[in-house]
């Protein structure tokens, strides 16, 4: 897919964001490092992502503090982690059609980078950083809250992204079935080991992969939880 970074497409994205971000800064927020490396090492969005992460965290923390005056610090932290998770931010990105605007390298393009949660979440944070630079903190906070606040009412869905293994344990308890069962296999040499975890919870099953057993188990747990709650 060719990225929609022409002037009309950028104007359309800017309208969705409701923040006046100049074209050069907006394109930077949409430029993944894979594209930058393939085009002579041009700037990419990781510095904006770094800034946007702080903008996001502060805006969400303040909102939760004010909205839930009787909730404990520990519970506030859990809610914040849920709605700023990679899964949650990727859903936000899909809601504004961000994937079609990204500038990706050939490898990421060929492996479905426009749909990858991590790339979408990073670009969302980069947009928050761009909004902060272009329009100031108040405008950036308003953008964050407009996109993130709807997720606050459904913390369980995104909480699974923070601790998927615990979420599937709770799922098993609700279904009144035996605890989750993981079957793990590993392949490849020691320096490049890959693991596959097959998870079963009652009648449900899912597979996850990773470079460690824990990573594979977490991937399987998140996949199963999302499948059950789709």
């Amino acid at each position: 897919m060719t990225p929609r970074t022409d002037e009309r497409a950028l104007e359309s994205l800017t309208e969705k964001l409701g923040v006046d971000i100049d074209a050069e800064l907006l394109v930077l927020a949409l430029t993944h490092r894979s594209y930058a490396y393939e085009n002579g090492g041009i700037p990419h969005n990781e510095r904006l992502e770094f800034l946007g992460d702080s903008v996001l965290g502060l805006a969400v923390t303040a909102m939760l503090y004010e909205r839930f005056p009787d909730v404990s610090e520990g519970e506030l932290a859990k809610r914040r982690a849920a709605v700023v998770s990679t899964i949650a931010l990727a859903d936000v990105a899909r809601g504004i059609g961000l994937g079609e605007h990204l500038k990706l390298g050939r490898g990421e393009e060929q492996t479905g980078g426009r749909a990858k949660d991590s790339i979408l979440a990073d670009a969302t944070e980069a947009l928050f950083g761009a909004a902060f630079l272009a329009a100031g903190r108040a405008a950036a906070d308003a953008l964050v809250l407009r996109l993130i606040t709807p997720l606050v009412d459904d913390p369980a869905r995104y909480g699974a992204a923070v601790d998927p293994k615990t979420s599937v344990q709770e799922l098993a308890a609700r279904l009144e079935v035996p605890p989750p069962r993981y079957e793990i296999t590993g392949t490849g040499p020691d320096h490049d080991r890959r693991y596959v975890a097959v998870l079963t919870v009652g009648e449900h099953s899912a597979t996850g992969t990773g470079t460690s057993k824990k990573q594979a188990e977490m991937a399987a747990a998140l996949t199963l939880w999302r499948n059950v709650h789709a």
Side-chain angles (χ1 to χ4, degrees):
M1 177 189 296
T2 301
R4 297 185 62 224
T5 53
D6 57 88
E7 184 176 349
R8 182 175 299 177
L10 292 178
E11 289 178 355
S12 174
L13 179 58
T14 300
E15 290 176 2
K16 290 180 182 178
L17 297 176
V19 180
D20 187 13
I21 303 174
D22 68 84
E24 183 177 355
L25 186 58
L26 186 55
V27 169
L28 178 60
L30 300 169
T31 302
H32 188 257
R33 64 177 180 271
S34 61
Y35 182 92
Y37 294 162
E38 290 182 8
N39 288 271
I42 62 175
H44 52 76
N45 65 6
E46 289 186 356
R47 283 174 54 84
L48 281 177
E49 175 199 340
F50 170 77
L51 175 59
D53 177 70
S54 293
V55 173
L56 169 67
L58 184 56
V60 170
T61 298
M63 179 268 289
L64 291 173
Y65 181 86
E66 294 172 357
R67 182 172 176 181
F68 302 104
D70 300 322
V71 172
S72 70
E73 180 272 342
E75 181 59 28
L76 287 175
K78 289 181 181 179
R79 295 190 186 201
R80 179 179 60 192
V83 299
V84 303
S85 70
T86 296
I87 299 299
L89 292 177
D91 278 359
V92 166
R94 293 186 181 97
I96 59 175
L98 189 58
E100 65 186 86
H101 298 280
L102 297 176
K103 296 169 74 75
L104 303 177
R106 290 185 297 273
E108 288 293 353
E109 192 75 74
Q110 293 170 359
T111 56
R114 296 184 188 281
K116 288 183 180 178
D117 287 347
S118 59
I119 291 178
L120 290 170
D122 290 348
T124 302
E125 289 185 332
L127 284 179
F128 294 152
F132 177 86
L133 292 178
R137 178 177 170 182
D141 285 355
L143 173 62
V144 168
L145 296 181
R146 181 164 56 82
L147 296 178
I148 297 298
T149 298
L151 310 185
V152 175
D153 296 323
D154 191 13
R157 174 175 173 79
Y158 300 101
V162 180
D163 189 357
K165 294 186 69 174
T166 296
S167 293
V168 295
Q169 288 175 349
E170 294 171 348
L171 172 65
R174 290 198 303 273
L175 296 176
E176 299 182 343
V177 297
R181 185 177 74 254
Y182 296 88
E183 296 181 3
I184 303 174
T185 56
T187 58
D190 291 341
H191 69 277
D192 189 26
R193 197 74 167 161
R194 292 290 185 272
Y195 294 91
V196 176
V198 178
L199 168 62
T200 302
V201 177
E203 298 180 352
H204 305 283
S205 64
T207 300
T209 61
T211 56
S212 68
K213 294 180 181 179
K214 180 179 180 180
Q215 189 179 78
E217 288 177 347
M218 291 183 67
L222 181 56
T223 297
L224 187 144
W225 195 96
R226 293 178 75 181
N227 288 346
V228 171
H229 292 82

